[in-house]
Amino acid sequence: QVQLQQSGPGLVKPSETLSLTCAVSGGSINSDYWSWIRQTPGKGLEWIGYIHYTGTTKHNPSLKSRVTMSVDTSKNLFSLKLTSVTAADTAVYYCASTTYYDASGSYFGCHQHWGQGTLVTVSS
Amino acid sequence: EIVLTQSPGTLSLSPGERATLSCRASQSVGTYLAWYQHKPGQAPRLLIYNASNRATGIPARFSGSGSGTDFTLTINSLEPEDFTVYYCQQRSDWPWTFGQGTKVEIK
């Protein structure tokens, strides 16, 4: 069973960079694409983007160029950086797997495994 | 981007009753729609994928239907643990998007 463990600071100052890490256990990071999703009070759940172990990424255009995602295959973890944060970036951030697998096949874009969530508050 | 509109915002029902949740897409998503259950302090849980297929381990009282722009999640005979928030999500087009959620509360 794949498990995701998130880590990172819960408080970030405005204009600084939010950094979160998600460690994958019970499976290889090479086995899927890996997503970041956040939940803000005003906008609900918002998909941030995903990364593949090859380095391929896709992100939500609404976040423009502020998002950087990376993967460390040697440590079986992936990371998110969000630059120039404002109060609007205050949210619970989740990492998640990106493909659901069962006996009938694989379904890209269905998030089966999730991290525990990290509340990140942007405040001075 | 595709906007998903869920209704109602809140559904007040009693245990044992049937819940019917709606999700409407601003343009067709085919059957590329999923439903998640989200309990406070927990990560979301995938219930339904491809509009009508239950994910592994999901009880049979949960069912999904629909295609194109109109979808429904039905929970037959609500159990106490079912009273929480439910989201729909589309993976038909970038960026993937979620609905704003429907809260199922105890009447």
Side-chain angles (χ1 to χ4, degrees):
Chain A
Q1 174 78 337
V2 171
Q3 292 189 319
L4 304 178
Q5 181 67 41
Q6 298 178 220
S7 59
L11 182 64
V12 182
K13 290 182 168 55
S15 79
E16 296 191 346
T17 296
L18 178 160
S19 296
L20 295 172
T21 296
C22 185
V24 180
S25 61
S28 171
I29 199 159
N30 297 354
S31 65
D32 200 356
Y33 288 73
W34 302 95
S35 291
W36 291 97
I37 296 162
R38 69 182 182 179
Q39 183 175 30
T40 60
K43 295 182 68 175
L45 287 168
E46 180 180 30
W47 178 76
I48 297 172
Y50 67 60
I51 186 166
H52 191 244
Y53 79 95
T54 57
T56 298
T57 61
K58 198 165 188 79
H59 66 269
N60 194 323
S62 68
L63 295 167
K64 298 183 180 178
S65 58
R66 296 197 296 132
V67 171
T68 302
M69 291 174 285
S70 61
V71 63
D72 187 334
T73 55
S74 66
K75 295 181 179 178
N76 228 36
L77 59 80
F78 60 104
S79 300
L80 170 72
K81 291 188 186 299
L82 182 66
T83 61
S84 304
V85 296
T86 69
D89 295 309
T90 294
V92 177
Y93 287 76
Y94 294 97
C95 59
S97 62
T98 305
T99 306
Y100 170 70
Y101 298 92
D102 69 11
S104 66
S106 60
Y107 303 91
F108 185 64
C110 295
H111 306 286
Q112 181 178 15
H113 305 290
W114 296 69
Q116 78 274 24
T118 301
L119 172 59
V120 179
T121 301
V122 178
S123 174
S124 56
Chain B
E1 80 180 34
I2 296 175
V3 176
L4 299 179
T5 302
Q6 293 186 240
S7 62
T10 301
L11 198 51
S12 298
L13 295 167
S14 300
E17 290 192 300
R18 173 183 295 176
T20 303
L21 288 66
S22 174
C23 177
R24 177 163 290 179
S26 58
Q27 64 190 73
S28 177
V29 300
T31 57
Y32 292 119
L33 189 104
W35 289 93
Y36 296 83
Q37 178 189 65
H38 195 188
K39 296 183 178 181
Q42 298 184 19
R45 176 192 185 193
L46 177 66
L47 297 176
I48 302 287
Y49 66 95
N50 277 19
S52 61
N53 300 100
R54 273 190 307 278
T56 301
I58 301 304
R61 65 181 181 274
F62 292 93
S63 63
S65 64
S67 66
T69 61
D70 290 292
F71 301 86
T72 301
L73 173 70
T74 301
I75 312 172
N76 282 311
S77 190
L78 283 162
E79 298 285 342
E81 62 267 26
D82 299 335
F83 290 90
T84 188
V85 181
Y86 295 85
Y87 294 95
C88 56
Q89 177 234 336
Q90 65 82 20
R91 61 184 182 97
S92 174
D93 196 13
W94 308 109
W96 298 334
T97 51
F98 293 84
Q100 83 281 14
T102 289
K103 181 180 181 180
V104 178
E105 66 174 22
I106 297 177
K107 187 174 182 179

